[in-house]
Each structure stands twice: as structure tokens, then as C-alpha cells.
Amino acid sequence: MNEPTQSVIYARVSPTKHIKTENDLHQSLEESINICKKDAEHEGNIIIKIYKDEYVSGKSSKDMPQFNKMLSDAKAGLFKRVYCRRVNRFGRNRKDMVSAEILLSELEVSIKFIENGIDTAKPFGKSIMAILAELAEQERNEIQENTERGRERLRNGMPTRSGKPWGHPKKSINIKSIRQLRMMPIRERPTWKQLSKDYNISISGMIQRLKDAGYWDEERDV
């Protein structure tokens, strides 16, 4: 019987509309983690750590702190296998994704993308990984193009088919006050969930406003 492999989970969810669970996690993030846990258990492997990039875009690995922490820990030899729900959760930048796979391969760390049926521990898995990484990047580009077309319609005042204007009025909130609240000591600091309720704006919306105002710091979450 083979010894259990020290393994980790990587899960990411983009900064979009979300539904929180009882564990205060994005619903999709929790689902991804549970899927990975079940697969690792089925293979008889041990999950020693879970890396979660919540409300993070996959367009560049530079903006994925937990992804980079995972690669750093891999270099330190902490694990030998990564479980991820899908290739596009691993990222949406082909160069970054393939570079990460090559690095992990050199460190003898395999990646399993459960819902894609890809396992880089197998020769065929490496080839498919490269193809799907390119498709993930193309999908990201298409989303950006569609978003920009919508913004262009909004700028030009073009109506929708229903006759209603594009987009929604931007809520007026005091971003500086949110930043000050999030800079308070941990015991006194309100959670993102509390701020979302108090200011009547989504968590992703607040984070985007903070980024636009130049207040966002990935290391401190504000």
C-alpha cells in the first residue's frame, strides 16, 4: 500500500457577486474546497494546507497572494500534490499558469484539476494542461471585451432592449471612512460582512472602490 502524499488545495474566486456560507466563505470557494477534499480522501492523500484567493482576479499571478504563497511553500518542500477544482481557478493567464506548472513539475509536485479530469502526474495531463491554460486566457479576454462593449454603450447613452439605461447608478459611499475602519486594531475592526451591511454595498464593490482610490493593500486587505 502506498504512503499518503502530503497534499494541498488551491481555490480561487473572482471579485464578482457572491453568496456567503455559514463559514463566511464565498459559496463557490467552499464548494471547490469540499470537492478537492473528497478527491484527496478518495486517493488516500492527506491535505495539510488550503490556499484561498477570495475575490481575486486570475489575470495575473502577481495579484494572487495565496497562489504565490503556495509556490513558495512548494519550493520549501512542504507538499507533493496540489488539488484544484478547475484549470481556470488556477488562473487565467497562460504564461503564468504554464510557468507555475513547470516549476511544480521540477519540484516533483503534481497538480490535479478534478472537474477537467487532468492530472499532471500523468504524461498526457501535462499536454492537456497547456491547451486548457490557453483556453482559460481566451475566455478571460472575451469577458473583458464584453465588459468593455457594455461600458461603451453606457458612455454613449445607448438603451437596452427593454428601454432602460445601461448599468446602475453608482452608490455614494465614503471610501475613506471604510479604509479608516479597516485600519483599526483587529479586535475593534469591523468585518467586511458588517461593512457591507452598514454601507449597503457588496464586499467586492467596496474592494473595487478601495482599489480605485489607491487604498488597497493586498498584504493587509486594505
Side-chain angles (χ1 to χ4, degrees):
M1 184 175 179
N2 294 330
E3 288 292 322
T5 301
Q6 298 280 90
S7 307
V8 300
I9 292 171
Y10 176 73
R12 180 184 67 81
V13 66
S14 302
T16 55
K17 292 182 180 180
H18 56 278
I19 301 173
K20 286 283 188 175
T21 66
E22 293 178 355
N23 299 322
D24 201 33
L25 277 178
H26 186 289
Q27 187 179 54
S28 176
L29 203 63
E30 187 167 275
E31 288 174 359
S32 296
I33 291 169
N34 289 336
I35 287 170
C36 292
K37 281 182 176 179
K38 288 179 182 177
D39 201 80
E41 183 179 354
H42 176 72
E43 293 186 340
N45 292 328
I46 300 173
I47 298 296
I48 62 169
K49 191 167 182 178
I50 299 173
Y51 301 89
K52 303 184 293 288
D53 273 322
E54 193 170 13
Y55 310 122
V56 173
S57 169
K59 66 181 180 181
S60 172
S61 62
K62 293 179 181 178
D63 302 321
M64 299 159 63
Q66 285 298 298
F67 181 84
N68 290 312
K69 173 62 176 171
M70 177 184 68
L71 296 182
S72 177
D73 287 348
K75 291 177 184 177
L78 299 186
F79 57 86
K80 287 297 179 182
R81 190 158 174 77
V82 178
Y83 288 89
C84 188
R85 184 176 184 176
R86 291 191 299 268
V87 170
N88 63 6
R89 296 300 88 201
F90 202 65
R92 288 188 180 274
N93 181 300
R94 179 173 54 84
K95 182 179 179 181
D96 288 349
M97 294 165 71
V98 173
S99 294
E101 192 281 321
I102 291 173
L103 170 64
L104 292 172
S105 178
E106 291 175 346
L107 296 170
E108 298 183 345
V109 175
S110 63
I111 316 169
K112 184 172 184 180
F113 299 102
I114 299 164
E115 292 188 350
N116 297 117
I118 298 172
D119 188 344
T120 64
K122 303 172 183 178
F124 183 65
K126 293 180 181 292
S127 301
I128 294 298
M129 163 67 183
I131 295 171
L132 288 186
E134 185 166 357
L135 291 176
E137 183 176 59
Q138 289 177 3
E139 184 181 6
R140 175 178 67 86
N141 291 337
E142 288 174 4
I143 291 171
Q144 287 180 326
E145 288 172 6
N146 290 336
T147 301
E148 185 53 37
R149 278 197 291 270
R151 287 174 178 165
E152 187 64 29
R153 285 175 175 268
L154 180 60
R155 285 194 291 268
N156 295 334
M158 295 176 66
T160 61
R161 291 181 181 177
S162 65
K164 296 179 181 180
W166 281 83
H168 302 278
K170 200 169 186 179
K171 294 178 181 177
S172 178
I173 61 172
N174 191 330
I175 284 298
K176 190 172 183 179
S177 68
I178 291 177
R179 176 179 182 260
Q180 290 171 340
L181 288 169
R182 286 294 298 174
M183 292 292 287
M184 293 172 68
I186 293 177
R187 290 184 180 179
E188 302 172 22
R189 183 187 308 167
T191 64
W192 286 115
K193 189 174 182 179
Q194 290 171 329
L195 289 172
S196 175
K197 183 177 179 180
D198 292 343
Y199 284 84
N200 191 28
I201 185 173
S202 68
I203 294 173
S204 58
M206 279 191 292
I207 291 174
Q208 189 57 54
R209 298 282 188 92
L210 286 164
K211 288 181 178 180
D212 292 343
Y215 290 144
W216 186 253
D217 182 336
E218 293 288 355
E219 294 299 320
R220 299 193 57 178
D221 286 339
V222 72

